Amino acid sequence: MSIRTISSRDNAQYKLLRQLATSAQARRKAGQTLLDGVHLCEAWLQHRGVPALCVVGEDALANPEVARVLADCDARGGQSIVLPDLLFAPLSQVEHGIALLFMVDTPEATASHIDVPSVLLDGLQDPGNLGSILRTAAAAGIARVFCGAGTVAAWSPKVLRAGMGAHFVLEIVEDADLSTLLAESALPVYATSSYGAEPLYGCDLRQPCAWLFGHEGKGVSAALLAQADKRLTIPQNPAIESLNVAASAAICLFEQVRQKAARAS
């Protein structure tokens, strides 16, 4: 196995890695991002193939999980480098993690129609919420996610960690024109709302549809809400103002899963 060692902070490849680790603008410009940790790297190998670059900290070379990933990359003709631990540390946002990173080309999705089960996201701000929704969507059999303007970058390291590999089985479209998508949708679109809405558990969700979820504080914008085919609310204790958007998405998507499973049985 041939692995290059980089020991200088002035190395051009290392400088690029530092930029990708710390700058959203650099990630957009390069069209690349970093996957941090064994789980994400293994998931990428399983679903997407060889990364642009595998990066390992020296101490992690003895880890059997890392050794398997390196061997897999090598067998597929991938490139790998080793960094001293002091150089690797600034690249990772995970405390006490295993020193393994993939540098990957950010997948580009160009879908412009809602013709498969989809999730639309209106201005989500929190990386953890977005990652959780992506993970839930993938688990519930959603094919495509449209992120509207103002939504946090889907391929940022924090969202990737929260998504736990869900990114790699979804088609994720960023900066999507949600209004046009709703106007031209081939499927009914259901939006979550706290006001003037139909209870979720009384709605027939057995047919393919799209789901529209909104900003953590403001919810779905009034303009987009008006375009939805139905407004649905989740019954809850009135003493609590609202559910977290990631929790709401999980409840809605898996109520649909439950209804489909009940019909099948």
Side-chain angles (χ1 to χ4, degrees):
M1 182 183 299
S2 176
I3 306 177
R4 293 186 299 115
T5 298
I6 291 177
S7 57
S8 171
R9 297 179 187 275
D10 295 324
N11 177 275
Q13 198 163 46
Y14 180 72
K15 287 182 177 180
L16 173 60
L17 290 168
R18 283 293 302 269
Q19 291 172 350
L20 295 177
T22 57
S23 169
Q25 182 178 359
R27 290 190 291 270
R28 286 193 298 270
K29 182 178 179 180
Q32 295 178 310
T33 192
L34 299 181
L35 311 181
D36 198 338
V38 172
H39 177 82
L40 282 179
C41 293
E42 287 180 336
W44 181 271
L45 284 170
Q46 178 184 353
H47 297 292
R48 298 283 182 161
V50 181
L53 183 68
C54 176
V55 186
V56 186
E58 277 183 339
D59 283 354
L61 287 172
N63 184 291
E65 291 180 302
V66 172
R68 284 196 297 270
V69 170
L70 281 170
D72 196 349
C73 287
D74 186 61
R76 302 194 205 187
Q79 299 182 42
S80 301
I81 63 171
V82 175
L83 298 175
D85 293 321
L86 285 176
L87 291 189
F88 186 95
L91 305 181
S92 175
Q93 299 178 7
V94 179
E95 287 190 40
H96 312 299
I98 296 174
L100 176 68
L101 290 169
F102 276 3
M103 182 176 77
V104 301
D105 297 328
T106 306
E108 291 187 18
T110 58
S112 57
H113 292 89
I114 303 172
D115 51 11
V116 295
S118 302
V119 164
L120 292 80
L121 301 173
D122 179 24
L124 252 69
Q125 295 290 294
D126 183 80
N129 281 337
L130 178 52
S132 295
I133 290 173
L134 294 176
R135 188 176 180 183
T136 297
I142 296 296
R144 191 175 291 157
V145 176
F146 294 97
C147 299
T151 297
V152 64
W155 291 89
S156 69
K158 289 183 179 179
V159 179
L160 281 159
R161 289 200 306 276
M164 293 292 288
H167 289 70
F168 314 147
V169 298
L170 291 167
E171 186 176 9
I172 302 172
V173 181
E174 298 197 85
D175 297 318
D177 183 343
L178 299 187
S179 181
T180 298
L181 286 166
L182 290 171
E184 299 176 353
S185 178
L187 300 178
V189 178
Y190 301 149
T192 53
S193 175
S194 301
Y195 307 101
E198 176 183 339
L200 171 71
Y201 301 123
C203 182
D204 185 349
L205 303 173
R206 293 173 295 175
Q207 301 304 315
C209 71
W211 292 90
L212 174 60
F213 303 107
H215 180 276
E216 287 85 351
K218 301 173 184 176
V220 178
S221 70
L224 293 178
L225 203 58
Q227 290 184 266
D229 293 282
K230 284 189 178 182
R231 304 180 188 185
L232 300 179
T233 188
I234 300 170
Q236 64 175 75
N237 183 344
I240 302 300
E241 181 178 351
S242 64
L243 289 171
N244 170 275
V245 64
S248 296
I251 292 168
C252 292
L253 293 175
F254 274 89
E255 171 59 14
Q256 184 172 39
V257 170
R258 185 196 68 78
Q259 289 189 20
K260 289 180 178 179
R263 179 181 62 179
S265 62

mmCIF file of all heavy atoms in Angstrom, residues 141-180:
data_model
loop_
_atom_site.group_PDB
_atom_site.id
_atom_site.type_symbol
_atom_site.label_atom_id
_atom_site.label_comp_id
_atom_site.label_asym_id
_atom_site.label_seq_id
_atom_site.Cartn_x
_atom_site.Cartn_y
_atom_site.Cartn_z
ATOM 1 N N GLY A 141 -37.824 6.447 3.530
ATOM 2 C CA GLY A 141 -37.993 6.149 2.116
ATOM 3 C C GLY A 141 -38.173 7.346 1.219
ATOM 4 O O GLY A 141 -38.577 7.208 0.059
ATOM 5 N N ILE A 142 -37.851 8.535 1.713
ATOM 6 C CA ILE A 142 -37.897 9.738 0.880
ATOM 7 C C ILE A 142 -36.751 9.691 -0.129
ATOM 8 O O ILE A 142 -35.634 9.275 0.198
ATOM 9 C CB ILE A 142 -37.804 10.999 1.750
ATOM 10 C CG1 ILE A 142 -39.015 11.118 2.671
ATOM 11 C CG2 ILE A 142 -37.641 12.250 0.897
ATOM 12 C CD1 ILE A 142 -40.337 11.310 1.957
ATOM 13 N N ALA A 143 -37.019 10.125 -1.342
ATOM 14 C CA ALA A 143 -36.011 10.059 -2.396
ATOM 15 C C ALA A 143 -35.235 11.352 -2.572
ATOM 16 O O ALA A 143 -34.052 11.342 -2.914
ATOM 17 C CB ALA A 143 -36.668 9.681 -3.728
ATOM 18 N N ARG A 144 -35.902 12.492 -2.336
ATOM 19 C CA ARG A 144 -35.321 13.770 -2.742
ATOM 20 C C ARG A 144 -35.621 14.832 -1.694
ATOM 21 O O ARG A 144 -36.709 14.875 -1.125
ATOM 22 C CB ARG A 144 -35.907 14.175 -4.091
ATOM 23 C CG ARG A 144 -35.249 15.327 -4.795
ATOM 24 C CD ARG A 144 -35.890 15.506 -6.174
ATOM 25 N NE ARG A 144 -35.569 14.398 -7.070
ATOM 26 C CZ ARG A 144 -36.299 14.051 -8.123
ATOM 27 N NH1 ARG A 144 -37.414 14.708 -8.418
ATOM 28 N NH2 ARG A 144 -35.925 13.041 -8.886
ATOM 29 N N VAL A 145 -34.655 15.713 -1.447
ATOM 30 C CA VAL A 145 -34.828 16.826 -0.507
ATOM 31 C C VAL A 145 -34.469 18.120 -1.222
ATOM 32 O O VAL A 145 -33.379 18.244 -1.798
ATOM 33 C CB VAL A 145 -33.954 16.652 0.751
ATOM 34 C CG1 VAL A 145 -34.082 17.870 1.663
ATOM 35 C CG2 VAL A 145 -34.341 15.374 1.492
ATOM 36 N N PHE A 146 -35.395 19.074 -1.184
ATOM 37 C CA PHE A 146 -35.172 20.395 -1.767
ATOM 38 C C PHE A 146 -34.962 21.391 -0.637
ATOM 39 O O PHE A 146 -35.838 21.574 0.210
ATOM 40 C CB PHE A 146 -36.383 20.827 -2.600
ATOM 41 C CG PHE A 146 -36.625 20.008 -3.833
ATOM 42 C CD1 PHE A 146 -37.549 18.974 -3.823
ATOM 43 C CD2 PHE A 146 -35.931 20.272 -5.009
ATOM 44 C CE1 PHE A 146 -37.784 18.225 -4.963
ATOM 45 C CE2 PHE A 146 -36.163 19.530 -6.159
ATOM 46 C CZ PHE A 146 -37.096 18.493 -6.137
ATOM 47 N N CYS A 147 -33.821 22.035 -0.611
ATOM 48 C CA CYS A 147 -33.502 23.036 0.407
ATOM 49 C C CYS A 147 -33.691 24.423 -0.192
ATOM 50 O O CYS A 147 -32.987 24.799 -1.135
ATOM 51 C CB CYS A 147 -32.060 22.880 0.884
ATOM 52 S SG CYS A 147 -31.705 21.284 1.656
ATOM 53 N N GLY A 148 -34.638 25.173 0.341
ATOM 54 C CA GLY A 148 -34.909 26.503 -0.176
ATOM 55 C C GLY A 148 -33.866 27.517 0.239
ATOM 56 O O GLY A 148 -32.978 27.248 1.061
ATOM 57 N N ALA A 149 -33.970 28.707 -0.323
ATOM 58 C CA ALA A 149 -33.041 29.801 -0.004
ATOM 59 C C ALA A 149 -33.036 30.057 1.496
ATOM 60 O O ALA A 149 -34.080 30.048 2.147
ATOM 61 C CB ALA A 149 -33.444 31.053 -0.756
ATOM 62 N N GLY A 150 -31.857 30.299 2.038
ATOM 63 C CA GLY A 150 -31.737 30.579 3.462
ATOM 64 C C GLY A 150 -31.524 29.363 4.317
ATOM 65 O O GLY A 150 -31.225 29.480 5.511
ATOM 66 N N THR A 151 -31.660 28.178 3.746
ATOM 67 C CA THR A 151 -31.413 26.949 4.498
ATOM 68 C C THR A 151 -29.912 26.726 4.624
ATOM 69 O O THR A 151 -29.151 26.978 3.693
ATOM 70 C CB THR A 151 -32.070 25.745 3.792
ATOM 71 O OG1 THR A 151 -33.487 25.935 3.777
ATOM 72 C CG2 THR A 151 -31.767 24.443 4.514
ATOM 73 N N VAL A 152 -29.487 26.259 5.793
ATOM 74 C CA VAL A 152 -28.074 26.017 6.048
ATOM 75 C C VAL A 152 -27.507 25.051 5.012
ATOM 76 O O VAL A 152 -28.220 24.193 4.489
ATOM 77 C CB VAL A 152 -27.884 25.456 7.486
ATOM 78 C CG1 VAL A 152 -28.557 24.101 7.641
ATOM 79 C CG2 VAL A 152 -26.418 25.378 7.856
ATOM 80 N N ALA A 153 -26.222 25.206 4.695
ATOM 81 C CA ALA A 153 -25.585 24.384 3.660
ATOM 82 C C ALA A 153 -25.651 22.904 4.029
ATOM 83 O O ALA A 153 -25.175 22.492 5.091
ATOM 84 C CB ALA A 153 -24.134 24.812 3.474
ATOM 85 N N ALA A 154 -26.209 22.110 3.143
ATOM 86 C CA ALA A 154 -26.462 20.703 3.451
ATOM 87 C C ALA A 154 -25.182 19.879 3.580
ATOM 88 O O ALA A 154 -25.150 18.887 4.314
ATOM 89 C CB ALA A 154 -27.362 20.093 2.381
ATOM 90 N N TRP A 155 -24.128 20.281 2.868
ATOM 91 C CA TRP A 155 -22.905 19.480 2.860
ATOM 92 C C TRP A 155 -21.829 20.044 3.785
ATOM 93 O O TRP A 155 -20.650 19.730 3.633
ATOM 94 C CB TRP A 155 -22.383 19.335 1.434
ATOM 95 C CG TRP A 155 -23.284 18.487 0.591
ATOM 96 C CD1 TRP A 155 -24.353 18.904 -0.145
ATOM 97 C CD2 TRP A 155 -23.237 17.072 0.448
ATOM 98 N NE1 TRP A 155 -24.970 17.838 -0.754
ATOM 99 C CE2 TRP A 155 -24.309 16.702 -0.409
ATOM 100 C CE3 TRP A 155 -22.394 16.078 0.946
ATOM 101 C CZ2 TRP A 155 -24.546 15.373 -0.764
ATOM 102 C CZ3 TRP A 155 -22.640 14.755 0.585
ATOM 103 C CH2 TRP A 155 -23.698 14.415 -0.254
ATOM 104 N N SER A 156 -22.236 20.857 4.761
ATOM 105 C CA SER A 156 -21.277 21.346 5.750
ATOM 106 C C SER A 156 -20.927 20.211 6.708
ATOM 107 O O SER A 156 -21.717 19.281 6.907
ATOM 108 C CB SER A 156 -21.860 22.522 6.533
ATOM 109 O OG SER A 156 -22.919 22.082 7.371
ATOM 110 N N PRO A 157 -19.738 20.251 7.325
ATOM 111 C CA PRO A 157 -19.333 19.159 8.229
ATOM 112 C C PRO A 157 -20.330 18.883 9.356
ATOM 113 O O PRO A 157 -20.585 17.722 9.687
ATOM 114 C CB PRO A 157 -17.989 19.652 8.779
ATOM 115 C CG PRO A 157 -17.432 20.494 7.671
ATOM 116 C CD PRO A 157 -18.627 21.204 7.091
ATOM 117 N N LYS A 158 -20.933 19.909 9.942
ATOM 118 C CA LYS A 158 -21.880 19.693 11.041
ATOM 119 C C LYS A 158 -23.135 18.972 10.569
ATOM 120 O O LYS A 158 -23.648 18.082 11.250
ATOM 121 C CB LYS A 158 -22.244 21.028 11.690
ATOM 122 C CG LYS A 158 -21.130 21.657 12.509
ATOM 123 C CD LYS A 158 -21.588 22.947 13.173
ATOM 124 C CE LYS A 158 -20.474 23.559 14.009
ATOM 125 N NZ LYS A 158 -20.903 24.835 14.653
ATOM 126 N N VAL A 159 -23.656 19.362 9.412
ATOM 127 C CA VAL A 159 -24.848 18.700 8.877
ATOM 128 C C VAL A 159 -24.515 17.264 8.486
ATOM 129 O O VAL A 159 -25.300 16.338 8.721
ATOM 130 C CB VAL A 159 -25.419 19.478 7.680
ATOM 131 C CG1 VAL A 159 -26.641 18.760 7.107
ATOM 132 C CG2 VAL A 159 -25.801 20.893 8.087
ATOM 133 N N LEU A 160 -23.349 17.054 7.915
ATOM 134 C CA LEU A 160 -22.933 15.708 7.537
ATOM 135 C C LEU A 160 -22.848 14.796 8.759
ATOM 136 O O LEU A 160 -23.303 13.640 8.705
ATOM 137 C CB LEU A 160 -21.578 15.760 6.822
ATOM 138 C CG LEU A 160 -21.628 16.183 5.358
ATOM 139 C CD1 LEU A 160 -20.274 16.687 4.885
ATOM 140 C CD2 LEU A 160 -22.090 15.013 4.485
ATOM 141 N N ARG A 161 -22.300 15.298 9.846
ATOM 142 C CA ARG A 161 -22.201 14.459 11.053
ATOM 143 C C ARG A 161 -23.589 14.111 11.588
ATOM 144 O O ARG A 161 -23.856 12.980 11.976
ATOM 145 C CB ARG A 161 -21.383 15.161 12.130
ATOM 146 C CG ARG A 161 -19.900 15.236 11.815
ATOM 147 C CD ARG A 161 -19.061 15.482 13.069
ATOM 148 N NE ARG A 161 -19.485 16.649 13.809
ATOM 149 C CZ ARG A 161 -19.103 17.885 13.541
ATOM 150 N NH1 ARG A 161 -18.282 18.110 12.516
ATOM 151 N NH2 ARG A 161 -19.511 18.908 14.272
ATOM 152 N N ALA A 162 -24.491 15.085 11.581
ATOM 153 C CA ALA A 162 -25.843 14.835 12.079
ATOM 154 C C ALA A 162 -26.607 13.894 11.159
ATOM 155 O O ALA A 162 -27.473 13.135 11.604
ATOM 156 C CB ALA A 162 -26.604 16.146 12.232
ATOM 157 N N GLY A 163 -26.292 13.927 9.860
ATOM 158 C CA GLY A 163 -26.978 13.081 8.895
ATOM 159 C C GLY A 163 -26.552 11.627 8.932
ATOM 160 O O GLY A 163 -27.277 10.751 8.464
ATOM 161 N N MET A 164 -25.368 11.344 9.459
ATOM 162 C CA MET A 164 -24.896 9.975 9.670
ATOM 163 C C MET A 164 -24.934 9.113 8.401
ATOM 164 O O MET A 164 -25.221 7.929 8.437
ATOM 165 C CB MET A 164 -25.716 9.304 10.771
ATOM 166 C CG MET A 164 -25.516 9.888 12.150
ATOM 167 S SD MET A 164 -23.845 9.551 12.787
ATOM 168 C CE MET A 164 -23.971 7.788 13.123
ATOM 169 N N GLY A 165 -24.643 9.730 7.262
ATOM 170 C CA GLY A 165 -24.586 8.973 6.018
ATOM 171 C C GLY A 165 -25.840 9.077 5.171
ATOM 172 O O GLY A 165 -25.868 8.586 4.041
ATOM 173 N N ALA A 166 -26.892 9.725 5.690
ATOM 174 C CA ALA A 166 -28.137 9.855 4.920
ATOM 175 C C ALA A 166 -27.929 10.629 3.622
ATOM 176 O O ALA A 166 -28.599 10.370 2.614
ATOM 177 C CB ALA A 166 -29.201 10.542 5.766
ATOM 178 N N HIS A 167 -26.997 11.585 3.639
ATOM 179 C CA HIS A 167 -26.714 12.375 2.438
ATOM 180 C C HIS A 167 -26.455 11.481 1.221
ATOM 181 O O HIS A 167 -26.798 11.842 0.085
ATOM 182 C CB HIS A 167 -25.465 13.239 2.642
ATOM 183 C CG HIS A 167 -25.632 14.387 3.571
ATOM 184 N ND1 HIS A 167 -25.799 14.240 4.931
ATOM 185 C CD2 HIS A 167 -25.636 15.727 3.336
ATOM 186 C CE1 HIS A 167 -25.886 15.432 5.490
ATOM 187 N NE2 HIS A 167 -25.797 16.352 4.545
ATOM 188 N N PHE A 168 -25.827 10.342 1.452
ATOM 189 C CA PHE A 168 -25.303 9.553 0.344
ATOM 190 C C PHE A 168 -26.370 8.698 -0.334
ATOM 191 O O PHE A 168 -26.100 8.097 -1.379
ATOM 192 C CB PHE A 168 -24.151 8.665 0.836
ATOM 193 C CG PHE A 168 -23.150 9.390 1.713
ATOM 194 C CD1 PHE A 168 -22.509 8.734 2.747
ATOM 195 C CD2 PHE A 168 -22.872 10.735 1.510
ATOM 196 C CE1 PHE A 168 -21.601 9.398 3.567
ATOM 197 C CE2 PHE A 168 -21.960 11.409 2.323
ATOM 198 C CZ PHE A 168 -21.329 10.739 3.350
ATOM 199 N N VAL A 169 -27.568 8.648 0.248
ATOM 200 C CA VAL A 169 -28.657 7.887 -0.374
ATOM 201 C C VAL A 169 -29.812 8.797 -0.776
ATOM 202 O O VAL A 169 -30.854 8.324 -1.226
ATOM 203 C CB VAL A 169 -29.164 6.762 0.555
ATOM 204 C CG1 VAL A 169 -28.060 5.761 0.829
ATOM 205 C CG2 VAL A 169 -29.715 7.316 1.865
ATOM 206 N N LEU A 170 -29.636 10.096 -0.606
ATOM 207 C CA LEU A 170 -30.653 11.074 -0.982
ATOM 208 C C LEU A 170 -30.160 11.922 -2.161
ATOM 209 O O LEU A 170 -28.949 12.118 -2.330
ATOM 210 C CB LEU A 170 -30.956 12.014 0.187
ATOM 211 C CG LEU A 170 -31.673 11.440 1.404
ATOM 212 C CD1 LEU A 170 -31.582 12.426 2.563
ATOM 213 C CD2 LEU A 170 -33.133 11.136 1.082
ATOM 214 N N GLU A 171 -31.105 12.450 -2.913
ATOM 215 C CA GLU A 171 -30.798 13.491 -3.898
ATOM 216 C C GLU A 171 -31.125 14.820 -3.225
ATOM 217 O O GLU A 171 -32.281 15.088 -2.901
ATOM 218 C CB GLU A 171 -31.626 13.306 -5.160
ATOM 219 C CG GLU A 171 -31.257 14.274 -6.270
ATOM 220 C CD GLU A 171 -32.038 14.011 -7.548
ATOM 221 O OE1 GLU A 171 -32.977 13.199 -7.519
ATOM 222 O OE2 GLU A 171 -31.699 14.637 -8.566
ATOM 223 N N ILE A 172 -30.109 15.631 -2.972
ATOM 224 C CA ILE A 172 -30.276 16.869 -2.216
ATOM 225 C C ILE A 172 -30.059 18.055 -3.148
ATOM 226 O O ILE A 172 -28.969 18.247 -3.692
ATOM 227 C CB ILE A 172 -29.296 16.937 -1.032
ATOM 228 C CG1 ILE A 172 -29.497 15.727 -0.110
ATOM 229 C CG2 ILE A 172 -29.482 18.237 -0.250
ATOM 230 C CD1 ILE A 172 -28.449 15.599 0.983
ATOM 231 N N VAL A 173 -31.106 18.852 -3.320
ATOM 232 C CA VAL A 173 -31.055 20.024 -4.201
ATOM 233 C C VAL A 173 -31.022 21.268 -3.326
ATOM 234 O O VAL A 173 -31.939 21.507 -2.538
ATOM 235 C CB VAL A 173 -32.280 20.078 -5.136
ATOM 236 C CG1 VAL A 173 -32.192 21.291 -6.058
ATOM 237 C CG2 VAL A 173 -32.400 18.789 -5.944
ATOM 238 N N GLU A 174 -29.975 22.069 -3.447
ATOM 239 C CA GLU A 174 -29.847 23.280 -2.630
ATOM 240 C C GLU A 174 -30.260 24.512 -3.441
ATOM 241 O O GLU A 174 -30.270 24.508 -4.669
ATOM 242 C CB GLU A 174 -28.413 23.412 -2.125
ATOM 243 C CG GLU A 174 -27.996 22.251 -1.220
ATOM 244 C CD GLU A 174 -26.760 22.548 -0.407
ATOM 245 O OE1 GLU A 174 -26.889 23.146 0.672
ATOM 246 O OE2 GLU A 174 -25.654 22.179 -0.869
ATOM 247 N N ASP A 175 -30.587 25.584 -2.702
ATOM 248 C CA ASP A 175 -31.031 26.843 -3.311
ATOM 249 C C ASP A 175 -32.199 26.620 -4.267
ATOM 250 O O ASP A 175 -32.287 27.228 -5.347
ATOM 251 C CB ASP A 175 -29.871 27.531 -4.038
ATOM 252 C CG ASP A 175 -28.756 27.929 -3.084
ATOM 253 O OD1 ASP A 175 -29.064 28.421 -1.984
ATOM 254 O OD2 ASP A 175 -27.569 27.720 -3.426
ATOM 255 N N ALA A 176 -33.114 25.748 -3.876
ATOM 256 C CA ALA A 176 -34.250 25.412 -4.728
ATOM 257 C C ALA A 176 -35.310 26.511 -4.676
ATOM 258 O O ALA A 176 -35.512 27.152 -3.638
ATOM 259 C CB ALA A 176 -34.862 24.087 -4.280
ATOM 260 N N ASP A 177 -35.986 26.724 -5.789
ATOM 261 C CA ASP A 177 -37.098 27.665 -5.872
ATOM 262 C C ASP A 177 -38.357 26.930 -5.407
ATOM 263 O O ASP A 177 -39.039 26.278 -6.206
ATOM 264 C CB ASP A 177 -37.253 28.170 -7.310
ATOM 265 C CG ASP A 177 -38.352 29.210 -7.464
ATOM 266 O OD1 ASP A 177 -39.214 29.324 -6.571
ATOM 267 O OD2 ASP A 177 -38.366 29.896 -8.507
ATOM 268 N N LEU A 178 -38.659 27.019 -4.126
ATOM 269 C CA LEU A 178 -39.750 26.230 -3.561
ATOM 270 C C LEU A 178 -41.101 26.633 -4.131
ATOM 271 O O LEU A 178 -41.973 25.790 -4.346
ATOM 272 C CB LEU A 178 -39.760 26.350 -2.039
ATOM 273 C CG LEU A 178 -38.500 25.864 -1.299
ATOM 274 C CD1 LEU A 178 -38.741 25.891 0.204
ATOM 275 C CD2 LEU A 178 -38.092 24.470 -1.749
ATOM 276 N N SER A 179 -41.304 27.913 -4.390
ATOM 277 C CA SER A 179 -42.583 28.367 -4.923
ATOM 278 C C SER A 179 -42.875 27.738 -6.282
ATOM 279 O O SER A 179 -43.985 27.260 -6.537
ATOM 280 C CB SER A 179 -42.595 29.896 -5.040
ATOM 281 O OG SER A 179 -43.840 30.348 -5.536
ATOM 282 N N THR A 180 -41.882 27.726 -7.164
ATOM 283 C CA THR A 180 -42.061 27.117 -8.483
ATOM 284 C C THR A 180 -42.277 25.609 -8.357
ATOM 285 O O THR A 180 -43.119 25.028 -9.046
ATOM 286 C CB THR A 180 -40.841 27.409 -9.374
ATOM 287 O OG1 THR A 180 -40.725 28.824 -9.555
ATOM 288 C CG2 THR A 180 -40.982 26.738 -10.722
#
